[in-house]
Amino acid sequence: MAVEGSAGRVTRRRVHTRANLLEAAFAVFAAKGFGHVSIEEVCEAAGYSRGAFYSNFSSLDELFFALYRRRADLIAEQVSGALALDGPDLDVPAAVDRVTDVLLLDRDWLLVKADFLVHAARDPEVARGLLEHRARLRQAIADRLGRARGHTALPAVLGDTDGAARAVVAAYDGVTTQLLLDRDVEHARAWLKQLLTALLTDGSGTPAHSKN
């Protein structure tokens, strides 16, 4: 029992150390940008040694991707949760309101994400991992839109539910790029709400099927 208890404490300590390293890395990456940060700087910010770093991550790339994965999964959960509240008949304007209200629009995160996108664009292996995460987010949206099929019509120009999901992610990308420059979170939420409503309805906020 003593051995099991010791192993449990080691596991909890490692989880705690990993979480602290991720939080410290997030702050350092947001302040200085990926490519301008060393392992030593992350360790110093977290209050750990290089040994603690290497017991959790093999490189800054691995740490960076773990950080991205955690934030990206949070966004996917926010979107999925907001879309899951309706029954089979998806109330698009109400769902858009919920999504834009809960969606993470943190500028520091967006700076880290932008750095990661540039880094991934130069590294095919990292790009594949990033594309997998983006595909999961699109799939979560497409699945929800698919469950509403037959109840809520989407604009024909978007094609199928996958096309609609791609349009939603593209709108989010565009709004957050603008947010990086103008720092206006309130305007970003309002603009995203307008874009998503226009994309997923006839533009008036009324689902297409209610006009028939």
Side-chain angles (χ1 to χ4, degrees):
M1 293 296 292
V3 172
E4 290 180 3
S6 176
R9 286 194 296 273
V10 170
T11 300
R12 286 194 294 273
R13 189 182 309 124
R14 183 169 183 178
V15 169
H16 184 68
T17 299
R18 182 182 177 89
N20 286 343
L21 284 166
L22 286 170
E23 289 302 320
F26 176 74
V28 176
F29 286 144
K32 301 187 67 173
F34 188 80
H36 300 282
V37 174
S38 66
I39 290 174
E40 288 77 10
E41 286 175 298
V42 172
C43 292
E44 182 180 352
Y48 293 119
S49 65
R50 286 176 64 93
F53 179 93
Y54 283 115
S55 70
N56 288 275
F57 304 102
S58 62
S59 65
L60 281 178
D61 276 1
E62 184 181 339
L63 182 150
F64 199 104
F65 198 76
L67 179 62
Y68 181 90
R69 183 167 55 245
R70 189 168 70 167
R71 292 288 176 134
D73 287 348
L74 171 61
I75 290 173
E77 288 172 9
Q78 289 174 329
V79 172
S80 298
L83 291 176
L85 294 179
D86 288 318
D89 187 6
L90 180 64
D91 183 343
V92 173
V96 167
D97 282 346
R98 291 195 301 270
V99 169
T100 53
D101 284 345
V102 304
L103 197 59
L104 182 66
L105 290 178
D106 175 64
R107 190 171 180 274
D108 283 347
W109 156 241
L110 295 175
L111 285 169
V112 173
K113 177 188 170 185
D115 272 342
F116 192 72
L117 286 169
V118 173
H119 176 60
R122 294 191 173 100
D123 187 323
E125 184 176 350
V126 176
R128 280 193 294 273
L130 179 57
L131 286 170
E132 289 174 4
H133 284 287
R134 288 173 66 84
R136 281 207 295 272
L137 175 60
R138 286 200 311 273
Q139 191 60 51
I141 298 169
D143 286 349
R144 180 60 189 93
L145 295 174
R147 290 197 300 276
R149 237 177 173 168
H151 302 272
T152 304
L154 295 171
V157 70
L158 294 177
D160 57 12
T161 54
D162 183 64
R166 287 179 182 275
V168 169
V169 174
Y172 171 76
D173 286 341
V175 168
T176 53
T177 297
Q178 181 67 27
L179 176 58
L180 277 174
L181 301 176
D182 65 22
R183 303 172 183 241
D184 190 342
V185 176
E186 184 177 349
H187 180 261
R189 289 196 189 281
W191 186 28
L192 183 59
K193 188 176 296 187
Q194 291 170 356
L195 281 175
L196 294 182
T197 301
L199 280 169
L200 298 177
T201 68
D202 61 0
S204 68
T206 303
H209 80 295
S210 66
K211 285 190 159 188
N212 296 330

